[in-house]
Amino acid sequence: MNHKSIDINIGSDIGSKATKIFTLVSITIYITEILTGTNIISTSFSAAIQALSIIPILILILVVQRQISITFIFAVIVSIAICIINESVYMFSSTMMIVFIYTLNSMPDIDYQKMLKWIAFTSMTTFGMVVGINLLTGWGSNNYEMWRVDGLIFRKSLGFSQPNITMLLWLSIVLAICSIYRKSQRLLTIFVGVSTYFIYSQTQSRTSTYVIMLYCFSILIIGKHANARVGKTLSKLVCILPILFLLISFYLLLQPYSEWLDVLLSGRLSLYQQFYDTYGIHLLNTPELENAMFDNGYLQSLLAKGVIFTIQLLFILISIGWKVNRMRIKDILLFVMYLSIAFTETALQHFELFLPIAIMFAESHKKETLNY
């Protein structure tokens, strides 16, 4: 009995430290992304800070884990090798994603809900301060007019560098707060819906708004059953959705596109086909496309970063929820939100979007294991 008590105390202590470290890293990532979005700090400086933030997590793994998974070590080595072969430092983000997933799923007694609450509180407070200052003083306004479908629209950035960035950051906050467990989610869902509509009325950013609103309507209809679990077959099919989304995106490159649809998507289809016709698809990255204007994360990965990197990214996205044999309905909805936004944004490797999904699935797996 004494040995069991000691083991429980040790596990609890490790879990507490792991929770604090991972929470601090997550908050750092969210704050740097918001500051980057306001142009207060540069993208390169933000990337450097985020890359350095992985060091305490690696130290935690080395100190705590008595036996580190061979699969994890192999995945990290392969990921680093892909960075070196492509001579692209920015591809290190995939290595970070692997480390995050492994840590969240292997550390004992991590308090996932505590992490999500701190992430939601910090990011919402910082985001709210930027928007509030902008509305009161006009600081950071990057507003402009653009032609969309059949008329001009006026878009406000609300203190950030670009309206789409504003909505993408808001989506990251929505993913975090909606991952927090609540028996009754109705009031939270209404708050998210109303807030999203207000931000959309200013930014006119469509895709993020659509996926958030669809989630809100789904939760209001499903109600208390949002935390119910689906079957194993459906759960595994959900895991391989990234492959389907990539195939759909690739299909757009090969087929004649509709002029109406191209106009609706602000000329994205013609631009992607132009990239494809000019540069094609290669095993390694295409430097000419690394800074090209992509609004599709799947095609950006395939055309700019190469087939090898894309395959690695697909494995990472599939592995996020693979351990969960019977997903909660909420897991599926939030995961589909994350994957869907990548159709019109290069969002697959945005850590502020990735982290709440990774935390949510790790928690779902833990609760599933305890219930059986």
Side-chain angles (χ1 to χ4, degrees):
M1 180 66 70
N2 290 334
H3 288 296
K4 289 183 179 179
S5 177
I6 292 172
D7 289 340
I8 291 172
N9 290 333
I10 292 174
S12 178
D13 184 55
I14 293 172
S16 176
K17 289 180 179 178
T19 300
K20 290 177 182 177
I21 291 172
F22 211 98
T23 300
L24 180 61
V25 169
S26 300
I27 289 174
T28 300
I29 289 173
Y30 270 79
I31 290 178
T32 54
E33 284 295 335
I34 291 174
L35 294 179
T36 302
T38 59
N39 285 330
I40 292 177
I41 62 176
S42 67
T43 302
S44 57
F45 180 76
S46 173
I49 293 295
Q50 291 185 17
L52 290 173
S53 71
I54 200 176
I55 293 176
I57 294 181
L58 288 173
I59 293 174
L60 178 69
I61 292 173
L62 293 173
V63 171
V64 172
Q65 294 287 327
R66 296 177 182 176
Q67 184 175 359
I68 300 176
S69 168
I70 298 298
T71 304
F72 167 68
I73 295 173
F74 176 75
V76 169
I77 292 174
V78 169
S79 181
I80 294 174
I82 291 174
C83 295
I84 295 172
I85 292 171
N86 283 281
E87 299 180 351
S88 296
V89 176
Y90 67 84
M91 288 188 182
F92 185 69
S93 58
S94 60
T95 307
M96 294 175 65
M97 294 169 80
I98 293 169
V99 172
F100 289 149
I101 293 173
Y102 178 76
T103 306
L104 288 167
N105 283 280
S106 64
M107 288 294 158
D109 299 320
I110 289 184
D111 191 336
Y112 302 103
Q113 285 295 301
K114 186 175 182 179
M115 284 193 292
L116 289 169
K117 288 175 182 177
W118 270 108
I119 290 171
F121 172 77
T122 306
S123 57
M124 187 179 293
T125 301
T126 310
F127 181 87
M129 288 174 60
V130 173
V131 173
I133 293 172
N134 173 262
L135 293 175
L136 290 173
T137 67
W139 171 83
S141 293
N142 292 284
N143 309 327
Y144 59 88
E145 283 186 332
M146 64 171 285
W147 185 269
R148 178 179 287 173
V149 185
D150 57 357
L152 285 171
I153 60 169
F154 185 70
R155 306 185 66 185
K156 296 182 180 180
S157 68
L158 298 178
F160 297 93
S161 59
Q162 210 265 356
N164 284 345
I165 290 177
T166 307
M167 186 56 84
L168 204 60
L169 288 169
W170 172 245
L171 174 63
S172 71
I173 296 170
V174 170
L175 289 175
I177 63 179
C178 289
S179 298
I180 297 172
Y181 177 78
R182 292 173 62 92
K183 289 184 177 179
S184 175
Q185 303 186 85
R186 192 172 298 275
L187 288 177
L188 177 63
T189 304
I190 293 173
F191 165 75
V192 169
V194 172
S195 301
T196 300
Y197 179 77
F198 167 74
I199 296 173
Y200 170 74
S201 69
Q202 305 297 304
T203 64
Q204 297 294 312
S205 295
R206 297 172 295 181
T207 310
S208 297
T209 301
Y210 295 158
V211 297
I212 294 173
M213 287 301 191
L214 184 58
Y215 170 83
C216 291
F217 283 125
S218 300
I219 290 296
L220 289 175
I221 293 171
I222 297 169
K224 62 181 181 181
H225 301 293
N227 291 301
R229 294 188 181 271
V230 302
K232 183 175 180 178
T233 301
L234 179 58
S235 297
K236 298 308 178 186
L237 288 174
V238 169
C239 286
I240 63 174
L241 278 177
I243 298 176
L244 176 62
F245 284 14
L246 173 65
L247 292 176
I248 293 173
S249 298
F250 181 64
Y251 176 80
L252 297 175
L253 292 178
L254 306 178
Q255 299 298 317
Y257 55 84
S258 162
E259 291 291 340
W260 173 83
L261 184 59
D262 190 42
V263 171
L264 183 65
L265 295 175
S266 304
R268 291 184 176 97
L269 296 182
S270 56
L271 182 63
Y272 300 153
Q273 288 200 359
Q274 181 181 340
F275 289 155
Y276 175 66
D277 292 338
T278 305
Y279 299 102
I281 297 174
H282 306 279
L283 285 176
L284 301 181
N285 63 326
T286 302
E288 294 85 356
L289 292 179
E290 287 185 359
N291 296 315
M293 189 183 73
F294 276 98
D295 286 324
N296 181 300
Y298 302 99
L299 293 181
Q300 194 254 1
S301 175
L302 186 62
L303 295 176
K305 300 178 181 179
V307 174
I308 295 176
F309 179 86
T310 302
I311 291 173
Q312 178 193 222
L313 181 59
L314 287 177
F315 272 112
I316 291 171
L317 295 176
I318 291 170
S319 69
I320 298 177
W322 191 258
K323 281 192 172 184
V324 186
N325 289 318
R326 298 180 65 234
M327 291 184 181
R328 298 171 298 189
I329 294 175
K330 186 173 72 172
D331 297 341
I332 296 173
L333 291 175
L334 292 175
F335 187 48
V336 172
M337 284 176 66
Y338 169 60
L339 296 177
S340 298
I341 196 62
F343 272 121
T344 57
E345 299 287 348
T346 52
L348 289 174
Q349 291 176 274
H350 281 231
F351 291 118
E352 74 275 16
L353 299 172
F354 169 81
L355 279 174
I357 299 298
I359 294 170
M360 175 191 70
F361 273 132
E363 180 195 39
S364 184
H365 170 62
K366 179 181 178 182
K367 287 188 174 181
E368 181 186 45
T369 302
L370 293 175
N371 286 336
Y372 282 105

